[in-house]
Structure formats: C-alpha cells, structure tokens
C-alpha cells in the first residue's frame, strides 16, 4: 500500500517557502490556494492533502516532484492509525 507522507511534504513546502522568502499571500496570488490552506499544508493537516489538486498545484509552484513523498506503508500501520484507503 502507498501513502502520501504528509509530514515530509509539509516540511518541504515550509522549507522552500522560507528559503525563498516568499509570503503566503504571494503563493495565494500565484496558485489560487488560500493562505490558510497553504499554512495547513505546511503543518501537514490531513484535510489539505485529501485534494490531489492542492498537492499538485503547490508541488508545481515549488518545482518539486510530489511522487518523492509517496511511500509504501504496511497494512498493519494503516489499521493502527485508523487510516485505511480505497481504490476505485
């Protein structure tokens, strides 16, 4: 099973924003994603990453490949956290 590593992606988004000295309002203007959503993404809030569009748009903005944040997980770890996934 594969899962998006929200924490790693959020940390990368925050690092890139800070390294580029980019304000949340500038990202909002360029992407159409609200400042609050961008901030929640940087903090790895699960509801933000439920949208593939948000992941892809922010990844394109920062020039990163979102596939690097998709990691294999065991079935046991998804049962322990209560985060199951569905296909289809």
């Amino acid at each position: 099973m594969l899962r998006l590593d929200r924490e790693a992606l959020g940390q990368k988004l925050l690092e890139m924003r800070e390294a580029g000295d980019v304000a949340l309002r500038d990202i909002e203007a360029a992407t159409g994603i609200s400042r609050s959503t961008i901030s929640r993404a940087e903090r790895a809030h699960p509801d933000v990453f439920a949208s593939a569009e948000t992941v892809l748009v922010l990844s394109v903005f920062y020039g990163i490949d979102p596939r690097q944040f998709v990691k294999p997980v065991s079935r046991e770890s998804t049962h322990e956290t209560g985060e199951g996934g569905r296909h289809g």
Side-chain angles (χ1 to χ4, degrees), residues 13 23-41 48 51-62:
L13 295 174
L24 287 172
R25 67 179 168 276
D26 296 331
I27 301 168
E28 179 181 47
T31 65
I33 298 172
S34 72
R35 287 176 280 193
S36 63
T37 298
I38 297 163
S39 178
R40 287 194 328 269
V48 174
S51 166
E53 181 178 6
T54 300
V55 172
L56 292 174
V57 170
L58 289 175
S59 295
V60 168
F61 178 83
Y62 285 112

Side-chain angles (χ1 to χ4, degrees), residues 11-30:
Q11 183 63 38
K12 182 68 171 180
L13 295 174
L14 177 62
E15 287 172 3
M16 295 198 68
R17 181 170 67 82
E18 290 177 342
D21 196 30
V22 180
L24 287 172
R25 67 179 168 276
D26 296 331
I27 301 168
E28 179 181 47

Side-chain angles (χ1 to χ4, degrees), residues 62-73:
Y62 285 112
I64 59 176
D65 183 352
R67 294 176 296 181
Q68 70 182 325
F69 300 99
V70 176
K71 306 291 182 193
V73 295

